[in-house]
Amino acid sequence: MKAKILIIDDEESIRFTLENFLSKEGYEVVTAKDFTEAVQRLDGTTFDVIFTDILLGEKTGIDLLREIRKGNIFCPVIMITGYPNIDTATEAVRLGAFDYISKPVTQETLLHSAGMALQYKKINDERERFRSNLEAIFRSIKDAIITVDKELTVVELNDAAKDICGFSHDMQGRPFSSLPHKCNGKCLQAVMETIRTKGPVEMLRHECHRNDRYDQVVTINTSPLISRGIFSGVVLVIKDETRLTSLERDMKERRQFHNIVGKSDKMQKIYSLIEDLSEVQTTVLITGESGTGKELIAEALHYKGSRRYKPLVKVNCSALPENLLESELFGHVKGA
């Protein structure tokens, strides 16, 4: 497909010359004599490159450049002037002009600028197409995806992060640690571990303990973002497994509960018993041989209930001498 080029100049002879140079190279060329005609040409027509004179009667090429940017027209704009001026050149570059050339414009200069602008547009279009595809994939995935830089600042997050984590898009640019919902902090812990080790982290089936979603269960995965060997941040993927966990509980097929792993019938009964006891305001005695997971049961009881936001103090009584146990637990007065 031929590249389409728009030439805007108030001098007919210059329009004719530039059009002739470009047409001989196989480009499709459209011309306009002033600002108004140029705006009409741009309405509904896509151009690959625009050449515009700085002086266009009552308006200027700078005015046209502003109009182009305001209309979200993304193509290289090359400014042409017979009176080079540092202020005009600076303003043109600030507004996004691709190049700035002075009259008289030679055929060699014109074709070189057109070729460079078309190459730039091709690369830019490919990058935009790639970005659009990534955004579409990002939006369509049902898992929450959050990217943070190595300073723990949120770079980007998808719509699913709002549903699963309660985040909103105004989280972008804010520290990841400033979570909008109180939770168990496992996601932050996983991200910090990946930043520390530069390696992936997986946390299977953790209860979020969000205030508004008490029983939400998620699996957390983090991976380092590395480009050309340079570590730049972390991508965090959070999969909501609440429904699957509920089905497994109803079918007595849960494989994991808090940090306890097991799917036998006896383990299903233990999971149910923990749930029943988690909100009971009473003392619970957990018995069992060494290594059977008494501490895991205590943790599950604590974090499953309403006391989960309060401290959990673990004391290994067998490691304390009998005559010091009372003092360690309740304190003592010197010399007593």
Side-chain angles (χ1 to χ4, degrees), residues 17-18 21 51 101-113:
T17 301
L18 299 184
F21 285 160
F51 286 91
I101 58 179
S102 58
K103 295 179 181 178
V105 181
T106 64
Q107 183 176 10
E108 182 181 359
T109 301
L110 181 71
L111 296 178
H112 176 75
S113 294

Side-chain angles (χ1 to χ4, degrees), residues 102-198:
S102 58
K103 295 179 181 178
V105 181
T106 64
Q107 183 176 10
E108 182 181 359
T109 301
L110 181 71
L111 296 178
H112 176 75
S113 294
M116 292 292 290
L118 288 169
Q119 184 65 22
Y120 168 81
K121 186 176 186 298
K122 181 182 177 181
I123 295 171
N124 212 41
D125 287 349
E126 287 178 358
R127 186 190 309 149
E128 180 62 24
R129 189 161 48 249
F130 182 66
R131 187 190 65 81
S132 298
N133 290 341
L134 276 181
E135 280 190 356
I137 295 169
F138 210 53
R139 286 193 304 269
S140 65
I141 293 176
K142 294 182 180 180
D143 298 339
I145 302 176
I146 304 165
T147 55
V148 300
D149 62 21
K150 55 187 178 182
E151 279 77 38
L152 282 178
T153 300
V154 177
V155 177
E156 199 163 357
L157 64 164
N158 65 351
D159 293 337
K162 180 178 179 181
D163 298 327
I164 296 175
C165 304
F167 294 164
S168 58
H169 285 287
D170 61 8
M171 276 288 294
Q172 290 180 218
R174 291 171 53 191
F176 183 64
S177 54
S178 61
L179 301 174
H181 288 277
K182 194 170 185 180
C183 66
N184 64 8
K186 291 292 184 181
C187 294
L188 178 60
Q189 181 182 328
V191 169
M192 293 181 69
E193 180 68 13
T194 295
I195 290 175
R196 186 182 67 83
T197 64
K198 308 297 186 294

